[in-house]
Amino acid sequence: MRLTDRAVRGLTTDQDLLEVWDEIVPGLGLRVSGRTDKKTWFIRYRTRGRQRRQSLGPYPAKSLFHARAEAKLKLGQAALGRDPARPDPGVVTVREIAKDWLERHARPNLREYTVREYERQLKAEVYPALGNRRAADVTRRDVHDLLDRIVGRDALVLANRVRSLLGAVLDHGVDRFDLPHNVVRSVKKPAKEKPRKRVLSPAEVKAVWNALSCLTPQSAAAVRLLFLTAQRKREVLRMSESHVDGDVWTIPPEHHKAGRRHTVPLTDPAVAVLDSLAARGGWYFPSPRAEGPRRDLKTALKKLRRETGLEEPWTLHDIRRTVSTQMGELCGVPNAIIGLVLGHKSRDVTATTYSHAAREREKREALEAWGAKVEEIVRAN
């Protein structure tokens, strides 16, 4: 029908839904709900061999005049082969693509911790430099400038991670937003990473253990469990009462780095550490600021570094490497059993026939031998 302001204002229906089409702008329609009398503008068009619809907004918030103007613009884009429902690759920003990537890819497919880290890198590094830039205008020089600033802070590993993250975001832009190319793919990694090999000596283990008195009881307990269980910091901090059954700690797949269920035998010293904690909300290490578990031990690490004064830099993850190394060198535990303790995926072809009970027994024996060695190291003169 020939739509007029008066005709649109008076449209009603006793049906569930009525759609009328504008004679002036073919492709522009108005939907009228019989139950709510709500009226919504939309367009119908064909692109890439498929018929599509797109809402333009409600009436009267959008008048007939403005609906026709917008419909002409979008239908003209469709006639030129570009889907008007998709953002113009010439104007979409890096921030918009990144947010869409987080929603469509990261959150549905990656672990919560990984998504939080990507969000942190985007907010701290990418958005201030490139967030409001049109993605199609980003050049190799822009990427190099971003990475050079990070390298200038001596954050070499972070620079590599930001390059990979930005590359993934712009790959999403090519796939979803019709960017012509991903400029990051022609930018080399800014730094060559060296695998960490730091292992604390027995004397350093003693120094760290004895320095735990400078920490809060909760932080000290967390570090002791890093030594006594050889598990990752994030896994220890997310320990819940529901995960512990007597002297066995079961790490659920959603908390394990490899996404697998992993059981950890708890030795008597480890059980004593847990018994010393007052769990809150079911968590052994509850966050002091929000619901849920703690996320890091950064302050504890700074205090330990200052208190111990070890010459060579070290991190809390080095404790896990120390336990796995010293468990073999000082306790004579075979590498296959150390791998089971750490939760690594077994590559042994006999793994499928190897008794679960035997594996758990050998894991416990290894951790008990290491626990006895830690006590010996700490008491040594």
Side-chain angles (χ1 to χ4, degrees):
M1 60 183 295
R2 179 180 292 271
L3 295 178
T4 64
D5 287 322
R6 182 176 180 179
V8 171
R9 189 166 52 249
L11 271 177
T12 60
T13 181
D14 55 3
Q15 306 173 32
D16 287 341
L17 184 68
L18 171 68
E19 291 186 348
V20 295
W21 298 92
D22 185 24
E23 288 184 357
I24 304 299
V25 181
L28 172 64
L30 182 69
R31 294 181 61 165
V32 182
S33 170
R35 289 177 294 178
T36 64
D37 286 333
K38 180 180 179 181
K39 301 169 185 177
T40 306
W41 299 107
F42 68 94
I43 57 172
R44 185 170 65 186
Y45 58 94
R46 183 173 293 275
T47 181
R48 299 180 182 179
R50 296 177 59 187
Q51 186 167 281
R52 301 287 301 274
R53 296 167 67 104
Q54 184 187 15
S55 173
L56 301 184
Y59 174 88
K62 179 164 290 184
S63 68
L64 172 61
F65 175 82
H66 289 100
R68 279 176 173 161
E70 185 175 354
K72 287 179 181 178
L73 176 63
K74 291 182 177 292
L75 292 169
Q77 292 173 346
L80 293 174
R82 195 175 73 78
D83 188 347
R86 304 181 70 173
D88 185 346
V91 299
V92 67
T93 65
V94 172
R95 188 191 305 268
E96 290 169 337
I97 295 177
K99 289 184 175 181
D100 192 74
W101 175 80
L102 286 169
E103 292 302 322
R104 289 181 182 270
H105 172 74
R107 289 195 176 90
N109 300 302
L110 304 178
R111 291 186 299 276
E112 178 186 352
Y113 173 84
T114 303
V115 175
R116 285 203 309 268
E117 178 60 19
Y118 283 153
E119 288 180 314
R120 187 196 67 78
Q121 292 177 14
L122 287 168
K123 292 176 181 177
E125 310 294 345
V126 177
Y127 291 164
L130 301 174
N132 295 328
R133 291 284 300 278
R134 295 191 301 180
D137 293 343
V138 174
T139 65
R140 286 193 297 273
R141 172 62 63 87
D142 295 326
V143 178
H144 279 299
D145 288 346
L146 166 64
L147 300 179
D148 287 346
R149 283 192 291 271
I150 301 174
V151 171
R153 306 196 317 254
D154 202 29
L156 305 184
V157 173
L158 177 61
N160 286 345
R161 299 296 179 271
V162 170
R163 174 195 170 275
S164 298
L165 173 59
L166 183 57
V169 167
L170 294 186
D171 273 344
H172 184 74
V174 172
D175 180 44
R176 289 280 184 171
F177 293 84
D178 293 332
L179 285 184
H181 64 283
N182 181 353
V183 68
V184 176
R185 294 307 170 202
S186 58
V187 175
K188 296 180 180 179
K189 285 186 177 182
K192 184 176 181 180
E193 297 182 32
K194 295 181 180 179
R196 287 191 60 83
K197 298 180 180 180
R198 180 75 162 97
V199 173
L200 301 178
S201 67
E204 291 175 324
V205 169
K206 179 179 180 179
V208 174
W209 190 275
N210 289 337
L212 294 178
S213 58
C214 75
L215 305 181
T216 64
Q218 189 188 85
S219 296
V223 177
R224 287 192 178 96
L225 287 174
L226 293 178
F227 276 109
L228 296 172
T229 66
Q231 303 310 303
R232 298 175 182 86
K233 175 186 64 178
R234 188 165 65 252
E235 294 160 356
V236 167
L237 291 179
R238 300 178 79 175
M239 286 185 74
S240 166
E241 289 181 308
S242 62
H243 302 158
V244 177
D245 183 9
D247 59 358
V248 177
W249 168 29
T250 301
I251 303 176
E254 60 270 22
H255 291 180
H256 193 261
K257 182 177 180 180
R260 296 194 302 271
R261 179 178 176 274
H262 176 50
T263 57
V264 183
L266 296 173
T267 60
D268 289 343
V271 171
V273 171
L274 292 181
D275 288 342
S276 70
L277 295 170
R280 189 173 77 242
W283 303 105
Y284 283 107
F285 302 99
S287 170
R289 302 179 186 86
E291 293 185 3
R294 290 179 64 167
R295 293 184 178 182
D296 61 60
L297 291 168
K298 292 180 181 178
T299 302
L301 177 59
K302 289 180 181 179
K303 288 183 178 179
L304 286 174
R305 283 173 169 170
R306 185 169 57 248
E307 188 74 14
T308 57
L310 301 185
E311 293 184 5
E312 188 177 352
W314 63 284
T315 69
L316 292 177
H317 189 73
D318 293 335
I319 294 176
R320 177 174 162 90
R321 187 181 304 105
T322 296
V323 175
S324 64
T325 301
Q326 304 290 20
M327 193 182 287
E329 294 181 358
L330 301 182
C331 304
V333 177
N335 288 337
I337 305 305
I338 294 174
L340 290 174
V341 171
L342 297 178
H344 292 166
K345 187 175 182 179
S346 175
R347 298 179 181 177
D348 188 349
V349 295
T350 64
T352 55
T353 58
Y354 193 48
S355 164
H356 172 75
R359 289 199 299 269
E360 295 305 307
R361 182 181 66 252
E362 291 184 327
K363 285 160 60 175
R364 180 173 295 280
E365 290 172 352
L367 286 170
E368 287 176 345
W370 167 245
K373 181 59 66 174
V374 170
E375 184 176 358
E376 178 184 326
I377 290 171
V378 172
R379 290 183 176 181
N381 294 327

